[in-house]
Amino acid sequence: MDVNEPAAAAPNSEETAWALRQLENIRESIDNVDAALIHLLAERFKFTQQVGRLKARHGLPAADLDREARQIKRLRGLAEEAHLDPEFAEKFLGFIVAEVIHHHVKIANDTGAIPTP
Amino acid sequence: MDVNEPAAAAPNSEETAWALRQLENIRESIDNVDAALIHLLAERFKFTQQVGRLKARHGLPAADLDREARQIKRLRGLAEEAHLDPEFAEKFLGFIVAEVIHHHVKIANDTGAIPTP
C-alpha cells in the first residue's frame, strides 16, 4: 500500500480500475519485449555454438580474455547510452557467458575434443 | 587442442587462418545481437519502472505470483519453439525479475511508499 495516498487504496475505485488497465497495457509491452529477447538469445546461442564447433575443429583456444574484456567495455558503454545500469549489463554478459561455456563443454564432450583450459 | 585433428593444430596454417576469419565474422554477429539485447533490456526496464511507479502510486500489490507463473510458462514455450533451452529461459526471467525487484524497492524508497511484502 502507498501510505501517501490512502484514497487510492480503496479497491474497485475508478482510479484503481484505470491503474489496472494501464498495468495490463504495460504488461503486454513487456511480453512483446520478452518474446524478442528470447528469440535474440536463441540466435546468439546459435552463433556461439558455431564458435564452439569452429574452435573444437581447429584446435583454437576455448577462452579469449582480451575478447571478453572488450565485450564488457563495449556493453557497458552501450548500456550507459541506453540509460541501463552498466553494472547490470556486465552481470548480464556474465550470465550469458556462463551458459555459453556450459554449451562449449558439451560440444567438446560430444565431439571428443579436449577443451583447452 | 582437438586431439582428433592434429593437422589443424599447426599455427599459421591456411586452415587456421580461415578459421580465425570465420571466428571474427561470427563475433561481429554476436556483437550486433548483444547491442540489440542491451537496448531491448533498457526498454524492458523502462516498462517495469512504469509498472513500479503505477503500483506505488495506486497501492497495488508489488508481487503477482499468477502473472509470474504465466510468464514462466509462456517464455518456456517460446524458448522451445526457438530451440533455446527452456530451463535457461526460466533462469533468464529470474535473473531479470531479480533486477526489477531491486528497481521497485528503490522506487518505493524514493517515493516514500512502503512496498507490499
Side-chain angles (χ1 to χ4, degrees):
Chain A
M1 297 287 178
D2 183 340
V3 290
N4 296 318
E5 296 187 44
N12 303 322
S13 73
E14 201 181 313
E15 212 184 319
T16 302
W18 175 87
L20 289 172
R21 282 197 304 275
Q22 285 292 107
L23 184 61
E24 194 51 40
N25 189 41
I26 305 167
R27 282 176 168 175
E28 279 176 17
S29 294
I30 291 171
D31 287 347
N32 286 341
V33 169
D34 282 350
L37 284 169
I38 289 294
H39 285 91
L40 273 176
L41 284 169
E43 196 59 23
R44 195 190 195 281
F45 285 119
K46 283 185 71 179
F47 285 128
T48 51
Q49 274 163 2
Q50 257 185 281
V51 168
R53 284 192 298 267
L54 196 70
K55 284 180 172 178
R57 187 170 164 78
H58 294 274
L60 300 172
D64 184 339
L65 297 180
D66 277 357
R67 156 83 176 154
E68 214 176 301
R70 283 195 305 273
Q71 280 177 293
I72 289 170
K73 198 176 167 209
R74 178 172 174 268
L75 287 198
R76 289 186 69 109
L78 287 172
E80 271 179 47
E81 277 173 38
H83 304 290
L84 182 72
D85 179 6
E87 284 301 309
F88 174 77
E90 184 167 347
K91 265 198 295 178
F92 173 70
L93 184 67
F95 178 78
I96 302 292
V97 166
E99 186 72 11
V100 170
I101 290 169
H102 173 72
H103 287 184
H104 282 193
V105 169
K106 199 176 169 300
I107 290 169
N109 289 343
D110 290 352
T111 60
I114 298 162
T116 309
Chain B
M1 297 287 177
D2 184 340
V3 289
N4 296 318
E5 293 186 49
N12 304 321
S13 74
E14 202 181 312
E15 214 184 315
T16 302
W18 175 87
L20 289 172
R21 282 196 305 274
Q22 285 293 106
L23 184 61
E24 193 50 40
N25 190 39
I26 305 167
R27 282 177 168 175
E28 279 177 16
S29 295
I30 291 171
D31 287 347
N32 286 342
V33 170
D34 282 349
L37 284 168
I38 289 293
H39 286 92
L40 273 175
L41 284 169
E43 197 59 23
R44 194 189 195 282
F45 285 119
K46 281 184 71 177
F47 285 128
T48 51
Q49 273 165 1
Q50 257 184 282
V51 168
R53 284 192 298 265
L54 196 71
K55 284 180 169 178
R57 185 170 166 78
H58 293 273
L60 300 171
D64 184 339
L65 297 180
D66 277 358
R67 155 84 177 153
E68 214 176 302
R70 284 195 305 274
Q71 279 177 296
I72 290 171
K73 198 175 168 214
R74 178 172 175 270
L75 287 198
R76 288 186 71 107
L78 287 172
E80 270 179 47
E81 278 173 37
H83 305 289
L84 182 73
D85 179 6
E87 283 301 309
F88 174 77
E90 184 168 345
K91 263 197 296 177
F92 173 70
L93 185 67
F95 177 79
I96 302 291
V97 166
E99 185 74 10
V100 170
I101 289 168
H102 172 73
H103 287 185
H104 282 193
V105 169
K106 198 177 170 298
I107 290 168
N109 288 343
D110 290 352
T111 58
I114 298 164
T116 310

